[in-house]
Amino acid sequence: MGFIDTDDGVRLFYRDWGNREGSHPILFVSSWSLTSDTWAYQMAPLSEQGCRCIAFDRRGHGRSDESPSGYGFDRLADDIAALLDGLDLRDVTLVGHSMATGEIVRYLSRHGAGRVKGVVMVGTITPLMARTGDNPDGVDPALFEAFRTDQLLRDFPKWLGDNIDPFVTAETSAEMKGWIVGMALQSSLMALLECNRAITAADFREELPAIAVPTLVVHGDRDVTTPLSLAERTVALMPNARLSFYEGAPHGLFITHRDRFNAELLAFARG
């Protein structure tokens, strides 16, 4: 474990498991509100398989500093660059969940794919979540604002309690759900607010066609946070992407379907 210093003075907490001299490095980026702990059930078994597994806390999340420079996708993409450059990671597989898929796309747009072997996007927010004139199937932006005003800024712990069940499955233990909620409560409310604004406004439609690295888009049909149609549209826009469909899987499929996901991720990183 350690910290990486960014160009605006933020210290990013990261953990680094496995053989640092081995091949197949994997950098995990967690979703909105969650931390590097999210990926424990991937990092531990994959490091046992010889992979080097790194994950970090997004600025304003977990043990990382809050941001003096905002929480836009450009800033967050530059943080990924700080990790990759600071640890000198090469031929890395980038794995992102939910919000992190946008951060990875923006990283590739801003910094190129010189250090990247492949990308895994889980429960993607790309290409665009909000309803616009040329995206009529998106979500009404007023609903996003209502969430921020009436739930996030009023009683975020209650919202977490009310919404943890759809994030996982009926078989998920109460203790596991409590662990996930506990992670989310470690994050700065201001960071959550600003990141949510970034998520719900971002448009990646022009960036996706330029990303040519091999990409695996993983999505479940019980994902109530990001609909399957987002994954299908993302794959259609990317020249070297394929969809891996998980029947019965929710947004938190890296927990609920971890055996299948871990095996698929390991094969992809080694491929």
Side-chain angles (χ1 to χ4, degrees):
M1 298 184 292
F3 289 88
I4 289 285
D5 293 322
T6 67
D7 57 10
D8 64 341
V10 168
R11 298 176 75 229
L12 298 174
F13 171 85
Y14 74 94
R15 57 183 70 230
D16 188 346
W17 294 355
N19 182 8
R20 297 189 184 189
E21 305 302 323
S23 56
H24 315 303
I26 305 171
L27 178 66
F28 294 89
V29 191
S30 56
S31 71
W32 176 83
S33 83
L34 299 184
T35 73
S36 55
D37 296 292
T38 299
W39 301 106
Y41 292 96
Q42 282 68 53
M43 292 178 63
L46 267 61
S47 64
E48 291 288 303
Q49 293 291 324
C51 296
R52 180 181 180 183
C53 296
I54 307 99
F56 70 101
D57 293 351
R58 181 186 294 105
R59 56 178 59 211
H61 291 59
R63 287 141 289 193
S64 292
D65 293 344
E66 295 196 49
S67 178
S69 309
Y71 295 89
F73 276 102
D74 287 357
R75 177 63 265 176
L76 299 176
D78 292 349
D79 288 348
I80 293 178
L83 263 293
L84 293 177
D85 295 347
L87 298 176
D88 194 25
L89 298 176
R90 301 179 184 275
D91 294 321
V92 65
T93 299
L94 297 178
V95 181
H97 176 235
S98 199
M99 179 183 184
T101 61
E103 291 164 85
I104 289 171
V105 169
R106 186 61 51 84
Y107 166 79
L108 293 168
S109 298
R110 285 173 66 81
H111 298 275
R115 291 183 177 273
V116 179
K117 177 183 179 181
V119 169
V120 179
M121 303 168 70
V122 185
T124 188
I125 64 164
T126 59
L128 170 63
M129 293 188 70
R131 181 186 302 165
T132 62
D134 59 354
N135 188 46
D137 296 328
V139 177
D140 183 348
L143 296 178
F144 293 135
E145 185 58 37
F147 161 72
R148 290 188 285 266
T149 301
D150 300 336
Q151 296 175 304
L152 179 60
L153 293 179
R154 190 172 300 273
D155 194 340
F156 181 52
K158 182 179 187 305
W159 181 85
L160 288 170
D162 290 343
N163 288 274
I164 186 61
D165 284 347
F167 185 82
V168 288
T169 61
E171 294 76 28
T172 305
S173 69
E175 292 80 5
M176 179 66 79
K177 289 187 283 188
W179 177 69
I180 296 168
V181 168
M183 270 190 279
L185 292 174
Q186 297 177 38
S187 298
S188 157
L189 190 61
M190 182 57 72
L192 296 179
L193 177 64
E194 294 292 335
C195 285
N196 187 264
R197 286 177 175 147
I199 293 167
T200 56
D203 186 346
F204 298 98
R205 289 177 293 180
E206 293 186 1
E207 296 170 68
L208 291 171
I211 296 174
V213 296
T215 302
L216 177 66
V217 180
V218 179
H219 219 96
D221 64 349
R222 285 192 57 248
D223 191 327
V224 298
T225 304
T226 55
L228 178 61
S229 60
L230 289 177
E232 293 170 337
R233 291 169 58 206
T234 294
V235 169
L237 287 170
M238 299 180 76
N240 196 13
R242 63 180 176 89
L243 175 64
S244 182
F245 170 71
Y246 283 42
E247 186 174 359
H251 200 52
L253 65 81
F254 56 91
I255 294 292
T256 62
H257 291 65
R258 75 184 69 144
D259 291 342
R260 175 182 170 182
F261 177 62
N262 290 358
E264 192 166 24
L265 175 55
L266 179 62
F268 183 83
R270 286 177 167 173

